[in-house]
Amino acid sequence: MTGSTTIPAVTAPPPVLVDHAALLTALTGLFAGYGIPDDRARLAADALCHGDLTGLDSHGVFNLARTYVPLLESGRCDPHAAPLTLTDLGACAVVDARRALGLWAAAEAMDDAVSRARRHGIGMVSVRGATHFGCAGFHAVRAAHAGMIGIAASNCGGQRIARPPGGALTMLGTNPLSVAAPALDGHPFLLDMSTTVAPTGKVRVAERRGEPVPAGWLEDHDGEPVTDPAAFDRGEAFLRWLGGTAETGVHKGFGLGIAVELLSAVVSGSAFGPSPSALAGDGRPHGRDDDIGFFLLAIAPEVLRPGADIAATTRSLFGTLADCPPATPGGTPVRYPGWREAELAARRRREGIPMPAHLYTELAELGLLKDMEAA
């Protein structure tokens, strides 16, 4: 099959504006209802809402019924889990999450890394035995809010979604990576990316909306572009790595995917994609995203360079970028990653989060509407 597939036009009902605070309260109650302690339930809800606030809808409440509720109800996630520190060397540690909900476990691990960086200039917490952690950027930006540089990465445990360039079998996950730092006031630098051109969630959001995906996101068995998002779950299309093709630099995205696997899985001791069992695959995505590995790093430049005005340095760096004139006079101003997300989050906190009608219905089916009101 090729990208010539026609996607039937779908007229969707208008979105429902949902109050952010009400959504946060409802989600907190849902997670607490499964036995997650209240403070961690609130942290998990905050992590999940981050996607909806910043426009990463594929990693917000869209995943509640698809990922997190099934994890909790199947027992693959332990709501009562207490992460166990296996190694503590001061500046760095290895932690077994013990099947905790990754939404809060990764956030707590980053906060631990920040605490270590305050003492040592750098703090690294490597986590294994975890579950899906939502938006990588939510965890990385916690370091930025503390005045530090943060890096967050995660593999997909034993799940295999993407093929090596030229390979016949899926071997790796989408392996997200995020880097964050203080920048201009209220607008931290925040790079949040999968190492594939797009994560699976964005493909499925497009499928749910009845929309084609851009050429370049997916390819068929012969490497030809596919724009029908449903082809992915049918096993007829595969995610492309950043860089796209051999001619345009596919080795860059593929190499980054491997780098995330090294940082997240080899360091922590979690499951990893390219294990010998991957060779038993049939070419389609396979394996399960259990025993996921996280890599959380916080760097405190002011500890490493006593007396340096790091805040002034970053303001100068990002201010200069923002002052770059647009290519076209009067065109869109130059902005860095994280600016748009900060602006969008501020607006959605004020005005409400536009939620697709079908997703609002899903939340109703989960019993959340009694705790949530339209904005």
Side-chain angles (χ1 to χ4, degrees):
M1 77 168 281
T2 67
S4 61
T5 303
T6 300
I7 310 299
V10 175
T11 302
V16 180
L17 275 182
V18 174
D19 179 72
H20 168 252
L23 178 61
L24 193 61
T25 297
L27 290 171
T28 300
L30 181 142
F31 287 133
Y34 281 101
I36 297 174
D38 289 348
D39 55 341
R40 287 172 167 169
R42 173 76 181 199
L43 185 53
D46 199 13
L48 194 59
C49 282
H50 173 87
D52 300 287
L53 283 174
T54 59
L56 297 172
D57 300 343
S58 61
H59 283 58
V61 293
F62 178 80
N63 271 342
L64 183 62
R66 291 164 180 79
T67 300
Y68 301 109
V69 168
L71 276 172
L72 289 161
E73 293 190 344
S74 68
R76 291 170 58 204
C77 173
D78 180 2
H80 307 290
L84 176 66
T85 299
L86 304 174
T87 304
D88 190 336
L89 301 178
C92 53
V94 175
V95 173
D96 184 348
R98 304 168 86 181
R99 295 186 292 113
L101 188 64
L103 291 167
W104 66 257
E108 285 195 1
M110 177 55 88
D111 292 347
D112 185 13
V114 165
S115 178
R116 293 169 186 275
R118 287 197 181 102
R119 301 192 301 273
H120 303 285
I122 189 167
M124 188 276 288
V125 178
S126 181
V127 181
R128 70 189 190 212
T131 60
H132 195 283
F133 74 176
C135 295
F138 175 81
H139 309 295
V141 83
R142 297 176 77 80
H145 292 325
M148 301 181 190
I149 297 168
I151 300 176
S154 170
N155 79 338
C156 293
Q159 187 178 45
R160 302 160 190 104
I161 299 169
R163 305 182 301 178
L169 303 175
T170 55
M171 292 273 175
L172 292 164
T174 54
N175 289 12
L177 171 68
S178 179
V179 182
L184 301 183
D185 291 345
H187 296 79
F189 168 73
L190 179 55
L191 173 68
D192 188 348
M193 53 177 273
S194 61
T195 50
T196 50
V197 174
T200 56
K202 283 194 173 184
V203 175
R204 289 174 176 140
V205 166
E207 179 184 0
R208 184 62 182 81
R209 292 176 176 171
E211 300 171 350
V213 297
W217 281 23
L218 298 171
E219 64 184 21
D220 64 16
H221 289 276
D222 299 319
E224 295 299 317
V226 174
T227 58
D228 177 6
F232 175 75
D233 279 328
R234 291 198 304 262
E236 299 170 356
F238 307 89
L239 291 171
R240 278 183 165 173
W241 296 102
L242 287 172
T245 67
E247 294 73 22
T248 55
V250 68
H251 67 281
K252 298 176 183 178
F254 178 50
L256 278 174
I258 295 172
V260 169
E261 203 77 38
L262 290 168
L263 293 172
S264 301
V266 174
V267 176
S268 70
S270 75
F272 54 93
S275 63
S277 58
L279 299 174
D282 61 2
R284 295 177 296 180
H286 65 291
R288 299 215 313 185
D289 55 345
D290 293 325
D291 192 12
I292 291 175
F294 302 152
F295 175 79
L296 293 312
L297 179 68
I299 304 169
E302 290 183 343
V303 176
L304 297 171
R305 295 173 53 201
D309 191 343
I310 302 300
T313 300
T314 55
R315 280 197 300 270
S316 175
L317 187 161
F318 290 102
T320 302
L321 286 172
D323 288 341
C324 178
T328 304
T332 303
V334 173
R335 293 293 182 254
Y336 51 83
W339 182 283
R340 173 188 170 278
E341 290 83 352
E343 291 283 296
L344 186 60
R347 184 168 73 247
R348 288 185 171 183
R349 282 191 175 96
R350 292 192 310 268
E351 301 174 3
I353 297 170
M355 188 169 296
H358 71 83
L359 190 52
Y360 191 76
T361 299
E362 284 185 16
L363 298 187
E365 292 170 351
L366 289 171
L368 293 184
L369 292 192
K370 64 181 183 300
D371 299 316
M372 196 170 65
E373 56 189 25

